[in-house]
Amino acid sequence: MKKIILIGRSECGKTSLTQVLKGEKVTYDKTQYINHYDVIIDTPGEYAENKILGRALALYAYEADIVGLLISATEPYSLYPPCITCMVNREVIGIVTQIDQPDANPVLAESWLREAGCETIFYISSVTGEGIWRILDYLKEEGEVMPWEEKET
Protein backbone atom coordinates (compact mmCIF):
# COMPACT_ATOMS: atom_id res chain seq x y z
CA MET A 1 0.00 0.00 0.00
CA LYS A 2 0.98 3.60 -0.50
CA LYS A 3 2.10 5.32 2.69
CA ILE A 4 -0.13 8.19 3.87
CA ILE A 5 0.48 10.95 6.41
CA LEU A 6 -2.65 12.21 8.17
CA ILE A 7 -2.70 15.94 8.96
CA GLY A 8 -5.42 17.94 10.68
CA ARG A 9 -6.36 19.79 13.83
CA SER A 10 -6.88 18.10 17.20
CA GLU A 11 -9.96 15.88 17.43
CA CYS A 12 -10.66 15.82 13.69
CA GLY A 13 -10.36 12.02 13.60
CA LYS A 14 -6.78 11.24 12.50
CA THR A 15 -6.10 8.63 15.17
CA SER A 16 -9.57 7.09 14.83
CA LEU A 17 -9.01 6.77 11.08
CA THR A 18 -5.59 5.25 11.76
CA GLN A 19 -7.17 2.67 14.07
CA VAL A 20 -9.86 1.78 11.52
CA LEU A 21 -7.36 1.50 8.64
CA LYS A 22 -5.29 -0.85 10.81
CA GLY A 23 -8.38 -2.96 11.58
CA GLU A 24 -8.42 -2.01 15.25
CA LYS A 25 -11.30 -1.08 17.51
CA VAL A 26 -11.75 2.69 17.70
CA THR A 27 -10.82 4.01 21.14
CA TYR A 28 -9.87 7.51 22.17
CA ASP A 29 -6.10 7.79 22.28
CA LYS A 30 -4.57 11.28 22.25
CA THR A 31 -1.62 11.36 19.85
CA GLN A 32 1.26 13.01 21.67
CA TYR A 33 3.94 12.63 18.99
CA ILE A 34 4.26 11.53 15.39
CA ASN A 35 3.48 7.81 15.13
CA HIS A 36 4.87 5.76 12.26
CA TYR A 37 3.07 2.59 11.27
CA ASP A 38 3.66 0.41 8.22
CA VAL A 39 1.71 2.58 5.78
CA ILE A 40 0.31 5.34 8.03
CA ILE A 41 1.90 8.35 9.71
CA ASP A 42 -0.43 9.72 12.41
CA THR A 43 0.37 13.27 13.56
CA PRO A 44 -0.73 15.29 16.59
CA GLY A 45 -3.23 18.05 15.82
CA GLU A 46 -1.04 20.59 17.57
CA TYR A 47 1.43 20.30 14.69
CA ALA A 48 -1.18 21.63 12.26
CA GLU A 49 -2.36 24.27 14.73
CA ASN A 50 1.05 25.81 15.42
CA LYS A 51 3.22 27.37 12.71
CA ILE A 52 6.48 26.37 14.43
CA LEU A 53 5.44 22.71 14.79
CA GLY A 54 3.86 22.82 11.33
CA ARG A 55 7.33 22.86 9.81
CA ALA A 56 7.82 19.31 11.08
CA LEU A 57 4.76 18.20 9.08
CA ALA A 58 6.46 19.37 5.90
CA LEU A 59 9.49 17.22 6.71
CA TYR A 60 7.46 14.15 7.65
CA ALA A 61 5.41 14.49 4.45
CA TYR A 62 8.54 13.50 2.51
CA GLU A 63 8.31 10.06 4.12
CA ALA A 64 4.83 9.46 2.68
CA ASP A 65 3.52 8.82 -0.81
CA ILE A 66 0.27 10.69 -0.13
CA VAL A 67 -0.64 13.55 2.19
CA GLY A 68 -4.12 13.35 3.69
CA LEU A 69 -5.61 16.63 4.90
CA LEU A 70 -8.42 15.87 7.34
CA ILE A 71 -11.22 18.16 8.37
CA SER A 72 -14.22 17.26 10.48
CA ALA A 73 -17.65 17.79 8.97
CA THR A 74 -18.51 19.55 12.24
CA GLU A 75 -15.81 22.24 11.97
CA PRO A 76 -16.85 25.91 12.17
CA TYR A 77 -13.74 26.97 10.19
CA SER A 78 -10.77 25.59 8.24
CA LEU A 79 -7.14 25.64 9.34
CA TYR A 80 -5.96 25.29 5.77
CA PRO A 81 -5.12 28.37 3.72
CA PRO A 82 -6.13 28.52 0.06
CA CYS A 83 -3.87 26.60 -2.34
CA ILE A 84 -1.73 25.10 0.46
CA THR A 85 -1.32 21.83 -1.45
CA CYS A 86 1.09 23.48 -3.89
CA MET A 87 3.64 23.55 -1.03
CA VAL A 88 3.99 19.76 -1.10
CA ASN A 89 5.56 17.68 -3.85
CA ARG A 90 3.34 14.73 -2.96
CA GLU A 91 -0.22 13.95 -3.94
CA VAL A 92 -2.61 15.58 -1.46
CA ILE A 93 -6.08 14.21 -0.81
CA GLY A 94 -8.86 15.62 1.34
CA ILE A 95 -10.66 13.53 3.93
CA VAL A 96 -13.92 14.76 5.48
CA THR A 97 -14.38 12.97 8.80
CA GLN A 98 -17.21 12.59 11.31
CA ILE A 99 -19.88 12.63 8.61
CA ASP A 100 -22.16 10.62 10.92
CA GLN A 101 -22.52 13.47 13.44
CA PRO A 102 -25.95 15.15 13.69
CA ASP A 103 -24.49 18.64 13.14
CA ALA A 104 -22.23 17.54 10.26
CA ASN A 105 -21.90 19.71 7.17
CA PRO A 106 -19.71 17.62 4.85
CA VAL A 107 -20.38 19.86 1.84
CA LEU A 108 -18.88 22.88 3.64
CA ALA A 109 -15.89 20.81 4.79
CA GLU A 110 -15.35 19.60 1.23
CA SER A 111 -15.44 23.17 -0.07
CA TRP A 112 -12.66 24.14 2.36
CA LEU A 113 -10.54 21.18 1.24
CA ARG A 114 -11.08 22.07 -2.42
CA GLU A 115 -10.09 25.67 -1.66
CA ALA A 116 -6.92 24.33 -0.03
CA GLY A 117 -6.19 22.55 -3.33
CA CYS A 118 -7.44 18.99 -2.79
CA GLU A 119 -8.91 17.48 -5.95
CA THR A 120 -9.69 14.04 -4.54
CA ILE A 121 -12.01 14.05 -1.51
CA PHE A 122 -13.19 11.18 0.67
CA TYR A 123 -16.13 11.24 3.08
CA ILE A 124 -15.65 8.90 6.04
CA SER A 125 -17.00 7.87 9.41
CA SER A 126 -14.65 5.90 11.63
CA VAL A 127 -17.67 5.00 13.79
CA THR A 128 -19.89 3.48 11.08
CA GLY A 129 -17.09 2.54 8.67
CA GLU A 130 -18.65 4.50 5.83
CA GLY A 131 -16.10 5.42 3.14
CA ILE A 132 -13.20 3.54 4.73
CA TRP A 133 -13.00 0.96 1.94
CA ARG A 134 -12.68 3.79 -0.60
CA ILE A 135 -9.54 5.08 1.09
CA LEU A 136 -8.10 1.57 1.36
CA ASP A 137 -8.83 0.96 -2.31
CA TYR A 138 -7.22 4.30 -3.21
CA LEU A 139 -4.05 3.47 -1.26
CA LYS A 140 -3.78 0.02 -2.83
CA GLU A 141 -0.77 -0.44 -5.11
CA GLU A 142 -1.28 -1.84 -8.60
CA GLY A 143 -1.44 -5.63 -8.48
CA GLU A 144 -1.85 -5.68 -4.70
CA VAL A 145 -4.54 -8.00 -3.35
CA MET A 146 -6.33 -6.90 -0.22
CA PRO A 147 -7.23 -9.51 2.43
CA TRP A 148 -10.96 -9.32 1.60
CA GLU A 149 -10.18 -9.87 -2.10
CA GLU A 150 -8.27 -13.11 -1.56
CA LYS A 151 -10.02 -16.23 -2.76
CA GLU A 152 -10.27 -19.22 -0.49
CA THR A 153 -8.27 -22.20 -1.71
Side-chain angles (χ1 to χ4, degrees):
M1 287 186 72
K2 297 173 193 160
K3 191 169 198 170
I4 186 170
I5 183 169
L6 302 176
I7 298 173
R9 77 161 201 86
S10 296
E11 299 180 11
C12 73
K14 297 177 304 296
T15 301
S16 296
L17 177 57
T18 297
Q19 292 169 347
V20 170
L21 291 174
K22 291 171 56 185
E24 298 175 353
K25 180 182 176 191
V26 176
T27 59
Y28 180 76
D29 186 22
K30 172 67 183 126
T31 302
Q32 299 292 326
Y33 47 84
I34 294 181
N35 292 312
H36 288 261
Y37 302 103
D38 290 339
V39 293
I40 304 167
I41 303 172
D42 184 15
T43 64
E46 291 79 8
Y47 280 54
E49 297 165 353
N50 180 302
K51 72 177 185 177
I52 301 297
L53 295 174
R55 295 174 184 161
L57 292 176
L59 294 174
Y60 282 101
Y62 286 107
E63 297 182 24
D65 301 308
I66 297 177
V67 174
L69 296 183
L70 279 75
I71 191 164
S72 169
T74 63
E75 289 295 331
Y77 63 91
S78 172
L79 278 182
Y80 308 119
C83 303
I84 190 67
T85 61
C86 70
M87 304 299 287
V88 182
N89 68 351
R90 301 283 185 270
E91 179 181 3
V92 182
I93 62 172
I95 303 172
V96 178
T97 61
Q98 301 174 6
I99 61 171
D100 57 304
Q101 296 298 310
D103 58 342
N105 188 346
V107 174
L108 179 59
E110 176 184 354
S111 71
W112 287 330
L113 289 170
R114 292 209 183 278
E115 186 174 292
C118 298
E119 294 179 8
T120 302
I121 309 284
F122 295 93
Y123 288 86
I124 64 118
S125 167
S126 295
V127 174
T128 67
E130 184 178 344
I132 300 298
W133 70 270
R134 288 183 174 97
I135 292 177
L136 287 168
D137 192 52
Y138 191 80
L139 296 174
K140 185 171 72 170
E141 300 272 10
E142 187 175 326
E144 190 172 23
V145 178
M146 302 305 272
W148 59 85
E149 297 173 325
E150 293 177 355
K151 294 181 181 175
E152 304 246 348
T153 56

